[in-house]
Amino acid sequence: AFEAAGDNDDDDDDDEDDIGEGGMAANWGAALSKTAEDDENEKGGDDGDWGAAREEAAASKAREAERKAREDKLLADAEEAKQRRLEDAAARGEQIRAKRAEEEEKEQRLKEEKEREAEEARKKAKEQMAQQLGAVEQTVDLGDDQRLLMKQYENYLDTDLGGSASPSSDFGF
């Protein structure tokens, strides 16, 4: 509440009397310039409520700052964990790619080796066939009865059919 020199409008005083005696106008500056003692008296009475409010505001600010710091820390931790997971995933992906490339290279080497072995086996088989074909002698394996029959036939042709010394005499030349 505003008080000018201790006079307020609630009382039955006549404010006009104060003006004539220099009352309100004279006390206006005095009301603004309080003594240090008056300040302490006023603070003492209101200090409990204002002090509690200030302390509550300071505590609220401190709690808000702590909450903000915790949130920032949680966000930073989450971001760091996300970065670690991304790096780990990238490393695992690179390992898998390298392993896959190594396996493909190994499979390619095995395939080439099998093809080379198959080609060598074909060459060896071809050489063996050529050797076997070259080593074959043309022989006729006749049994004893067949040999005897052939000799008798040859003798019959030579003697009985007029085998002569020259073929031209056979035809009358």
Side-chain angles (χ1 to χ4, degrees), residues 79-153:
E79 185 66 26
E80 183 180 334
K82 177 183 162 187
Q83 284 300 107
R84 268 197 316 268
R85 283 192 307 270
L86 286 174
E87 290 171 1
D88 290 345
R92 281 193 308 270
E94 191 63 35
Q95 287 175 347
I96 290 170
R97 271 188 238 108
K99 187 176 181 180
R100 187 176 302 142
E102 183 179 316
E103 288 174 358
E104 288 175 1
E105 184 179 315
K106 185 178 179 181
E107 287 176 13
Q108 184 66 24
R109 279 195 315 261
L110 288 174
K111 183 179 176 183
E112 289 174 0
E113 186 177 327
K114 285 182 180 182
E115 288 175 1
R116 192 171 45 250
E117 288 175 358
E119 185 65 30
E120 288 176 9
R122 280 192 293 270
K123 285 181 182 179
K124 283 184 180 181
K126 188 176 180 180
E127 288 174 7
Q128 286 177 350
M129 287 296 279
Q131 287 176 353
Q132 286 176 355
L133 289 175
V136 172
E137 294 180 17
Q138 294 180 356
T139 58
V140 177
D141 188 21
L142 299 175
D144 290 336
D145 292 337
Q146 289 174 339
R147 236 180 244 124
L148 182 61
L149 182 63
M150 288 299 291
K151 281 187 180 187
Q152 288 175 359
Y153 180 69

